[in-house]
Amino acid sequence: MCLSTVYKNQKSPETVVMNNVMRLACKDGCVILTDLMERQVAIEGELLEANLVDGYVIVRDNG
């Protein structure tokens, strides 16, 4: 199972949005994140980068 940490705008400890993300969905200008516990966070923006080998995703925040 590949889990990722999602960051807002850049990869740094201060910009972590959610850990242990198992699912990403892009819908109506939002990126919807779901973690292992089925908690969801929606970010108004777009997917900037996803590195699934290293386990991180960067989302550009438009909000």
Side-chain angles (χ1 to χ4, degrees):
M1 178 183 315
C2 293
L3 300 174
S4 295
T5 300
V6 177
Y7 300 90
K8 190 183 291 187
N9 297 320
Q10 64 180 359
K11 186 182 174 197
S12 70
E14 300 83 29
T15 62
V16 172
V17 176
M18 182 178 266
N19 292 305
N20 299 317
V21 173
M22 65 174 188
R23 187 177 320 131
L24 294 168
C26 298
K27 183 176 180 180
D28 300 327
C30 287
V31 179
I32 302 163
L33 315 171
T34 306
D35 73 2
L36 273 176
M37 302 300 290
E38 295 290 330
R39 294 176 291 215
Q40 289 191 334
V41 171
I43 301 171
E44 186 177 325
E46 61 187 354
L47 185 63
L48 187 61
E49 179 181 353
N51 186 323
L52 302 181
V53 172
D54 291 335
Y56 71 87
V57 175
I58 301 173
V59 175
R60 180 178 294 140
D61 179 26
N62 293 340

